[in-house]
C-alpha cells in the first residue's frame, strides 16, 4: 500500500499559489478570536470548594498543545517559536526537544502533539505544524514567504530529543482570503490506534468538502482526517469514497476546530467547532459526519449564516450525513479544547464528564452526558437556572453559568488528563495549571498565580466609571456617551458573564484598535485610559461588534 505522505503532495502542486497578504497586528483586531482572555489577577478558581487549582509552571511561549511522556513529564508545543518544550517535575527544561521552522501568522504555527508508546519500546511523537517556506520562523509575516504547507510528522523520542522525522500528511497552507487562520491542528491517537488530525478550511477554501456543490473536489481541508501511525490509509472500508483524499476523511464540513476527544466509555469521538459571528458548537462525530460548513453553522433552524439552506442542500460523499450540534453558543466564546476525565481522582461525580475550554473568556466548562452517551444532559439544578438551556443553546451569555466549572485560566488552548488522574489546563499566557482535590493541593497563595495581567495601572479614584452591561447595542456600555475633560481617566468595569473589549473605532475600520485597545476584559475586571487630547472617540467590542460606545473629551 502506498504511503499517504507520498500521495498527498499533489495538493500543493494542484493549488494556484496565492501571494500571501500579510496582515499587521492592528488589523487582527477585526477578528474577535484573536483577542484572548488574560489570567485572572488572583489566579483561576473552581466552583467546587473541594477542588483547587495549582500552577505547575509558567514561562512557556504561547503554548498550544501538550502530551504526557510519563508522570510529571510533559511535552508542550509553542505556536510562534516552533519549539517543543519539556516540562519535568514542573520545571521547563532549558533546551527544547525539537525546534522546527514555522509560519506563524494568525493561527499558523506549531499546533498539535500526540504521544504513542509502541510495543517494541519506541515512543512516537506526532506533531502538526505550518512549515515555514524558507526555514525561518514567521517569514510568512515578515517577508511574505509562502508556507510549505500544513504538515503532520512522526518523530521518535530518543535520549531527550525528537529524531527521525517522517512526513505523513502534507496539506496546503495557502489561504484563499489572504489570511492565515483556520489551520486547526489537534492530533489524537484513537482507540483503534490510528491518528486523528483535525484541520480547518485554511483561510476560506471553498470546495465540495465545504459543501459547495459546484466547487472544486475536496483537497484534504475542512475535516478530521484519519490515517495509520505509518501514514497509510486505514484499511477498514471507505467512509466518504475511494482514492485520496476522500479515503482519509473521517468527517468533513468543519470550519475550524481546536478540540476533540474520544468518550472513554463508548469510544465515540466528540469535537468543538468555531463559528464566525455565531454558532460555536460541540458535536458528536461519527464516521461520515458532515458538520455543515459553509452553509450551516450552529443549529440549522437558526440559519446564522443567512444561507436559507437545510441539510438537504449539503454535499454528501459515500456514507456522509449531517447531524445537528449537541450544544451551541449563539455568541461565540472562541471554543477550544475538549477532554473527557477518565478518572475518579476529582470525585466520582466528575468521572467521564466532558470538559471544554474557551479562548475569549478563560472559562472551563463541564458537561454531563446522558445515559446513552449520545447527547448532553443538563439536569443538575445545583448548578443554577438550567431551564434556559433546555434548548441546548446559550442564547444570552448569562445562560453560560450552569455549565461553567472554572474561570480565570486565561485563554485555554489544551486540556489533558495526566497519569496522576488530575485535569491539566494549558493557557496561551504561558501557564500550565492542574486541578486536584484541595486535600492534595498546595495551600493559600502558593496555589494561585499572582499575575496582574488584564488590569491597567492608570486606574485611579478620580476616574469616570463605565459599566460593561452586555450585548445590547448602544446600551451595552453605561453611561454612553461619556463626557469628560481633557486629562481625565475612564475606567470600564466588566459586569457581564463573558469577556468584552474596549477597542477604538468601529467594526470594519482599518484603523480599529490603533488608538487604544483593551484586549479581553474578563468578568469582574477593569481597564482604564487617560484621554490627553480633546475630541470624540468611538469604540466597540471586537467580540460583539454591535456593542458600541463613545467618549467625548472637551
Amino acid at each position: 500500500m502506498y504511503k499517504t505522505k507520498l500521495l498527498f503532495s499533489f495538493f500543493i502542486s494542484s493549488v494556484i499559489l496565492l501571494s500571501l497578504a500579510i496582515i499587521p497586528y492592528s488589523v487582527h483586531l477585526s477578528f474577535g478570536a484573536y483577542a484572548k482572555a488574560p489570567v485572572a489577577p488572583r489566579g483561576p478558581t473552581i466552583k467546587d470548594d473541594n477542588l483547587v487549582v495549582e500552577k505547575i509552571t509558567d514561562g512557556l511561549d504561547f503554548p498550544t498543545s501538550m502530551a504526557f511522556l510519563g508522570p510529571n513529564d510533559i511535552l508542550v508545543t509553542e505556536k510562534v517559536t516552533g519549539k517543543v518544550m519539556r516540562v519535568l517535575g514542573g520545571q521547563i527544561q532549558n533546551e527544547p526537544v525539537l525546534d522546527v521552522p514555522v509560519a506563524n501568522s494568525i493561527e499558523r504555527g506549531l499546533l498539535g502533539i500526540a504521544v504513542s508508546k509502541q510495543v517494541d519500546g519506541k515512543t512516537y511523537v506526532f506533531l502538526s505544524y505550518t512549515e515555514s517556506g524558507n526555514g525561518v520562523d514567521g517569514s510568512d509575516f515578515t517577508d511574505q514567504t509562502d508556507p510549505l504547507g500544513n504538515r503532520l510528522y512522526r518523530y521518535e523520542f530518543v535520549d531527550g530529543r525528537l529524531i527521525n522525522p517522517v512526513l505523513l500528511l502534507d496539506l496546503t497552507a495557502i489561504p484563499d482570503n489572504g489570511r492565515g487562520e483556520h489551520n486547526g491542528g489537534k492530533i489524537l491517537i484513537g482507540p483503534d490506534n490510528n491518528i486523528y488530525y483535525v484541520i480547518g478550511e485554511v483561510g476560506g477554501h471553498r470546495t465540495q468538502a465545504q459543501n459547495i456543490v459546484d466547487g472544486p473536489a475536496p483537497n484534504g481541508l475542512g475535516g478530521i482526517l484519519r490515517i495509520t501511525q505509518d501514514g497509510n490509509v486505514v484499511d477498514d472500508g471507505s467512509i466518504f469514497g475511494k482514492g485520496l483524499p476522500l479515503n482519509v476523511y473521517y468527517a468533513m464540513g468543519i470550519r475550524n476546530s481546536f478540540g476533540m476527544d474520544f468518550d472513554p466509555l463508548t469510544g465515540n469521538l466528540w469535537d468543538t467547532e468555531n463559528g464566525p459571528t455565531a454558532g460555536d458548537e460541540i458535536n458528536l462525530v461519527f464516521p461520515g459526519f458532515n458538520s455543515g460548513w459553509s452553509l450551516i453553522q450552529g443549529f440549522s433552524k437558526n440559519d446564522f449564516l443567512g444561507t436559507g439552506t437545510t441539510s438537504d442542500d449539503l454535499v454528501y460523499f459515500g456514507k456522509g450525513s449531517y447531524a445537528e450540534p449537541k450544544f451551541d453558543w449563539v455568541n461565540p466564546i472562541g471554543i477550544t479544547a475538549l477532554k473527557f476525565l477518565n478518572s475518579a481522582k476529582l470525585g466520582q461525580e466528575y468521572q467521564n464528564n466532558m470538559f471544554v475550554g474557551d479562548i475569549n473568556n478563560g472559562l472551563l466548562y463541564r458537561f454531563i452526558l446522558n445515559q446513552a452517551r449520545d447527547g448532553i444532559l443538563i439536569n443538575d439544578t445545583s448548578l443554577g437556572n438550567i431551564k434556559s438551556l433546555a434548548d441546548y443553546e446559550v442564547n444570552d451569555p448569562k445562560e453560560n453559568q450552569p455549565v461553567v466549572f472554572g474561570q480565570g485560566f486565561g485563554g485555554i488552548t489544551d486540556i489533558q488528563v495526566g497519569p496522576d488522574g488530575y485535569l491539566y489546563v494549558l493557557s496561551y499566557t504561558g501557564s500550565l495549571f492542574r486541578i486536584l482535590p484541595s486535600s492534595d493541593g498546595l495551600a493559600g497563595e502558593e496555589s494561585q498565580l499572582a499575575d496582574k495581567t488584564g488590569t491597567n495601572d492608570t486606574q485611579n479614584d478620580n476616574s469616570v466609571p463605565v459599566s460593561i452591561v452586555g450585548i445590547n447595542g448602544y446600551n451595552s456600555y453605561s453611561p454612553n456617551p461619556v463626557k469628560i475633560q481633557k486629562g481625565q481617566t475612564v475606567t470600564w468595569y466588566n459586569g457581564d458573564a463573558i469577556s468584552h473589549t474596549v477597542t477604538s473605532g468601529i467594526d470594519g475600520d482599518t484603523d480599529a484598535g490603533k488608538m487604544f485597545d483593551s484586549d479581553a476584559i474578563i468578568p469582574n475586571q477593569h481597564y482604564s485610559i487617560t484621554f490627553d487630547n480633546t475630541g470624540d472617540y468611538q469604540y466597540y467590542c471586537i467580540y460583539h461588534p454591535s456593542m458600541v460606545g463613545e467618549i467625548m473629551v472637551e
Side-chain angles (χ1 to χ4, degrees):
M1 178 169 294
Y2 291 104
K3 296 289 188 184
T4 308
K5 63 186 177 70
L6 297 178
L7 297 179
F8 249 56
S9 61
F10 85 90
F11 290 133
I12 296 293
S13 59
S14 64
V15 174
I16 298 175
L17 299 183
L18 305 176
S19 60
L20 180 62
I22 299 301
I23 303 173
Y25 177 74
S26 61
V27 181
H28 290 190
L29 296 171
S30 299
F31 314 107
Y34 309 121
K36 304 167 185 67
V39 174
R42 294 187 178 275
T45 56
I46 300 296
K47 283 188 175 180
D48 188 338
D49 291 338
N50 295 315
L51 301 175
V52 67
V53 181
E54 285 185 353
K55 183 183 68 174
I56 299 297
T57 190
D58 56 13
L60 295 160
D61 189 346
F62 204 145
T64 50
S65 296
M66 59 181 162
F68 282 83
L69 288 171
N72 299 312
D73 192 353
I74 313 169
L75 296 181
V76 182
T77 56
E78 294 186 339
K79 174 190 181 298
V80 176
T81 68
K83 294 178 180 179
V84 181
M85 304 304 296
R86 190 178 187 184
V87 181
L88 271 173
Q91 299 296 315
I92 304 172
Q93 303 305 289
N94 292 330
E95 295 297 323
V97 299
L98 182 69
D99 187 354
V100 296
V102 291
N104 55 31
S105 176
I106 310 185
E107 291 177 354
R108 294 171 176 158
L110 179 52
L111 305 174
I113 188 169
V115 171
S116 178
K117 303 290 182 69
Q118 305 299 301
V119 293
D120 61 2
K122 291 182 179 179
T123 297
Y124 285 160
V125 176
F126 299 89
L127 296 177
S128 68
Y129 58 92
T130 316
E131 190 161 359
S132 168
N134 60 2
V136 177
D137 291 339
S139 60
D140 58 326
F141 183 83
T142 57
D143 59 17
Q144 303 186 34
T145 299
D146 288 329
L148 291 181
N150 282 305
R151 294 178 158 179
L152 177 66
Y153 281 92
R154 188 190 74 195
Y155 295 82
E156 291 182 46
F157 184 79
V158 178
D159 296 330
R161 293 290 182 267
L162 293 180
I163 62 173
N164 300 332
V166 178
L167 178 61
L168 302 182
L169 289 177
D170 187 1
L171 300 167
T172 185
I174 306 301
D176 270 3
N177 59 12
R179 301 197 295 264
E181 80 273 27
H182 304 169
N183 296 277
K186 292 294 184 179
I187 313 168
L188 275 178
I189 307 298
D192 56 4
N193 216 33
N194 292 313
I195 305 170
Y196 291 75
Y197 165 58
V198 64
I199 185 165
E201 32 125 83
V202 183
H205 280 259
R206 292 292 179 268
T207 72
Q208 292 171 349
Q210 286 81 51
N211 292 293
I212 304 302
V213 174
D214 56 354
N219 61 355
L221 304 181
I224 296 173
L225 310 182
R226 180 184 62 165
I227 58 173
T228 71
Q229 294 192 27
D230 292 325
N232 294 321
V233 174
V234 176
D235 188 19
D236 65 352
S238 173
I239 298 172
F240 287 101
K242 296 185 181 301
L244 287 165
L246 285 180
N247 57 3
V248 296
Y249 274 101
Y250 185 83
M252 63 172 56
I254 294 173
R255 179 177 182 267
N256 201 29
S257 174
F258 298 105
M260 57 179 176
D261 194 24
F262 288 93
D263 183 341
L265 297 184
T266 65
N268 291 334
L269 180 62
W270 292 71
D271 81 350
T272 63
E273 186 175 345
N274 293 97
T277 57
D280 279 5
E281 301 177 354
I282 297 176
N283 293 295
L284 173 58
V285 181
F286 49 84
F289 174 67
N290 186 329
S291 192
W293 180 259
S294 61
L295 299 182
I296 299 173
Q297 188 71 33
F299 289 110
S300 59
K301 63 181 175 61
N302 292 326
D303 192 20
F304 287 140
L305 303 179
T307 61
T309 58
T310 69
S311 59
D312 293 336
D313 301 303
L314 303 181
V315 178
Y316 297 108
F317 293 92
K319 300 174 184 177
S321 62
Y322 172 77
E324 298 281 356
K326 297 302 181 180
F327 196 88
D328 90 342
W329 285 260
V330 171
N331 297 291
I333 58 172
I335 194 168
T336 54
L338 183 153
K339 187 67 182 178
F340 285 93
L341 178 61
N342 59 342
S343 161
K345 294 293 288 291
L346 300 188
Q348 292 287 344
E349 66 269 36
Y350 300 120
Q351 188 171 14
N352 298 316
N353 286 182
M354 179 171 63
F355 292 86
V356 172
D358 77 27
I359 199 79
N360 292 358
N361 310 294
L363 296 177
L364 180 65
Y365 306 86
R366 170 200 176 200
F367 292 94
I368 303 168
L369 299 195
N370 60 19
Q371 187 172 1
R373 298 191 72 81
D374 60 1
I376 288 170
L377 182 65
I378 300 177
N379 67 345
D380 188 347
T381 55
S382 67
L383 297 174
N385 180 15
I386 60 173
K387 292 182 179 178
S388 61
L389 295 179
D391 57 356
Y392 302 98
E393 185 170 69
V394 176
N395 299 283
D396 180 276
K398 294 179 177 60
E399 294 179 10
N400 246 347
Q401 293 309 300
V403 294
V404 172
F405 179 68
Q407 59 189 9
F409 289 90
I412 294 172
T413 56
D414 202 7
I415 306 169
Q416 295 294 332
V417 179
D420 53 14
Y422 299 137
L423 203 61
Y424 288 71
V425 180
L426 189 64
S427 170
Y428 91 98
T429 61
S431 296
L432 173 59
F433 303 100
R434 177 173 63 175
I435 301 171
L436 68 169
S438 54
S439 57
D440 297 341
L442 299 175
E445 292 300 318
E446 291 182 357
S447 64
Q448 303 298 330
L449 178 64
D451 184 355
K452 301 301 181 183
T453 304
T455 64
N456 187 297
D457 292 338
T458 62
Q459 183 194 15
N460 59 65
D461 293 337
N462 297 320
S463 65
V464 177
V466 177
S467 296
I468 303 177
V469 179
I471 308 169
N472 191 21
Y474 195 72
N475 297 315
S476 302
Y477 303 93
S478 180
N480 190 28
V482 177
K483 296 182 179 180
I484 61 172
Q485 298 296 312
K486 183 175 68 172
Q488 279 191 284
T489 298
V490 178
T491 299
W492 286 264
Y493 297 88
N494 188 358
D496 200 7
I498 59 172
S499 297
H500 297 289
T501 77
V502 172
T503 303
S504 62
I506 60 175
D507 184 39
D509 279 357
T510 56
D511 292 337
K514 284 190 175 179
M515 296 191 67
F516 55 86
D517 178 61
S518 64
D519 210 338
I521 309 172
I522 62 177
N524 303 314
Q525 299 305 307
H526 67 270
Y527 173 76
S528 298
I529 309 172
T530 299
F531 290 85
D532 293 323
N533 298 303
T534 60
D536 294 344
Y537 300 87
Q538 292 180 307
Y539 65 93
Y540 72 110
C541 172
I542 62 173
Y543 293 136
H544 318 104
S546 64
M547 296 175 58
V548 293
E550 186 176 8
I551 304 295
M552 299 179 177
V553 184
E554 299 176 349

